[in-house]
Amino acid sequence: MPPFLNHFRGADAIGRLIGSKCPGGTNDMPMIETVANGQPAFGLYMRQPEGHFEPFHLQVLQMTGSGADLRVEHVSAFFDPRLFARFGLPERLPADYVPV
Protein backbone atom coordinates (compact mmCIF):
# COMPACT_ATOMS: atom_id res chain seq x y z
CA MET A 1 0.00 0.00 0.00
CA PRO A 2 1.63 3.27 -1.03
CA PRO A 3 3.65 4.89 0.33
CA PHE A 4 4.78 1.73 2.13
CA LEU A 5 6.09 -1.00 -0.17
CA ASN A 6 6.75 -3.66 2.47
CA HIS A 7 4.86 -6.85 3.21
CA PHE A 8 5.47 -8.82 6.42
CA ARG A 9 4.45 -12.43 6.95
CA GLY A 10 4.50 -14.36 10.20
CA ALA A 11 4.78 -13.52 13.86
CA ASP A 12 8.59 -13.33 13.87
CA ALA A 13 8.75 -10.88 10.96
CA ILE A 14 5.99 -8.72 12.42
CA GLY A 15 7.68 -8.78 15.84
CA ARG A 16 10.95 -7.56 14.29
CA LEU A 17 9.06 -4.82 12.46
CA ILE A 18 7.41 -3.59 15.63
CA GLY A 19 10.63 -3.86 17.65
CA SER A 20 12.83 -2.03 15.16
CA LYS A 21 10.69 0.31 13.03
CA CYS A 22 7.77 1.51 15.12
CA PRO A 23 8.32 4.85 16.81
CA GLY A 24 7.59 5.35 20.46
CA GLY A 25 8.05 3.31 23.57
CA THR A 26 5.83 1.43 25.98
CA ASN A 27 2.37 3.03 26.21
CA ASP A 28 3.17 5.53 23.41
CA MET A 29 0.89 3.80 20.86
CA PRO A 30 -2.38 2.72 22.51
CA MET A 31 -4.99 0.92 20.46
CA ILE A 32 -8.76 1.08 20.93
CA GLU A 33 -10.94 -1.75 19.66
CA THR A 34 -13.72 -1.23 17.14
CA VAL A 35 -15.34 -3.16 14.27
CA ALA A 36 -15.10 -2.58 10.50
CA ASN A 37 -17.41 -4.52 8.17
CA GLY A 38 -17.89 -7.16 10.85
CA GLN A 39 -14.13 -7.63 11.28
CA PRO A 40 -12.17 -6.74 14.42
CA ALA A 41 -10.39 -3.42 14.02
CA PHE A 42 -8.24 -1.10 16.12
CA GLY A 43 -7.58 2.61 16.10
CA LEU A 44 -3.89 3.16 16.86
CA TYR A 45 -2.97 6.47 18.47
CA MET A 46 0.49 8.05 18.62
CA ARG A 47 1.76 10.10 21.59
CA GLN A 48 2.56 13.68 20.58
CA PRO A 49 5.42 15.82 21.94
CA GLU A 50 2.84 17.73 24.01
CA GLY A 51 1.86 14.45 25.70
CA HIS A 52 -1.62 13.73 24.28
CA PHE A 53 -2.37 11.07 21.63
CA GLU A 54 -3.50 11.70 18.05
CA PRO A 55 -4.98 9.16 15.62
CA PHE A 56 -2.30 7.44 13.55
CA HIS A 57 -3.94 4.61 11.63
CA LEU A 58 -6.85 2.20 11.63
CA GLN A 59 -5.99 -1.52 11.50
CA VAL A 60 -8.59 -3.99 10.20
CA LEU A 61 -7.94 -7.66 10.93
CA GLN A 62 -9.03 -10.52 8.69
CA MET A 63 -9.43 -13.61 10.86
CA THR A 64 -9.31 -17.30 9.94
CA GLY A 65 -10.21 -20.44 11.88
CA SER A 66 -12.35 -20.62 14.99
CA GLY A 67 -12.14 -21.29 18.71
CA ALA A 68 -8.59 -22.12 19.83
CA ASP A 69 -7.47 -22.08 16.16
CA LEU A 70 -8.60 -18.49 15.52
CA ARG A 71 -5.71 -16.57 13.92
CA VAL A 72 -5.02 -13.26 12.23
CA GLU A 73 -4.77 -13.94 8.50
CA HIS A 74 -4.18 -10.38 7.29
CA VAL A 75 -4.00 -6.83 8.65
CA SER A 76 -4.87 -3.80 6.52
CA ALA A 77 -3.75 -0.41 7.81
CA PHE A 78 -5.52 2.78 6.75
CA PHE A 79 -3.52 5.95 7.39
CA ASP A 80 -6.41 8.42 7.37
CA PRO A 81 -7.21 9.92 10.79
CA ARG A 82 -10.64 11.04 9.50
CA LEU A 83 -11.72 7.38 9.67
CA PHE A 84 -11.59 7.37 13.48
CA ALA A 85 -14.83 9.36 13.82
CA ARG A 86 -16.62 7.01 11.39
CA PHE A 87 -15.80 4.09 13.66
CA GLY A 88 -16.82 5.83 16.89
CA LEU A 89 -13.23 6.34 18.06
CA PRO A 90 -12.14 9.43 20.02
CA GLU A 91 -10.53 12.24 18.03
CA ARG A 92 -7.68 12.29 20.56
CA LEU A 93 -6.68 10.75 23.89
CA PRO A 94 -5.45 12.71 26.92
CA ALA A 95 -1.83 12.54 28.03
CA ASP A 96 -2.77 10.50 31.10
CA TYR A 97 -4.59 7.82 29.05
CA VAL A 98 -3.70 4.31 30.20
CA PRO A 99 -4.72 1.30 28.09
CA VAL A 100 -7.09 -1.09 29.83
Side-chain angles (χ1 to χ4, degrees):
M1 178 177 137
F4 305 103
L5 303 176
N6 299 325
H7 179 87
F8 300 91
R9 181 176 295 243
D12 290 339
I14 293 169
R16 283 192 301 278
L17 166 70
I18 292 169
S20 64
K21 302 292 183 195
C22 290
T26 303
N27 297 325
D28 283 340
M29 298 180 294
M31 299 172 77
I32 296 182
E33 185 177 358
T34 189
V35 176
N37 291 337
Q39 299 286 342
F42 296 89
L44 188 143
Y45 294 78
M46 186 72 65
R47 186 182 298 277
Q48 301 301 299
E50 300 82 13
H52 70 280
F53 298 90
E54 294 283 336
F56 184 63
H57 70 251
L58 183 74
Q59 296 182 1
V60 180
L61 283 57
Q62 178 182 341
M63 307 300 289
T64 187
S66 62
D69 293 323
L70 186 64
R71 299 190 191 292
V72 175
E73 177 76 18
H74 187 266
V75 178
S76 297
F78 299 91
F79 290 84
D80 184 348
R82 295 173 298 182
L83 293 173
F84 281 56
R86 286 189 171 182
F87 291 94
L89 296 167
E91 65 181 52
R92 70 183 341 195
L93 299 175
D96 60 354
Y97 178 81
V98 177
V100 199

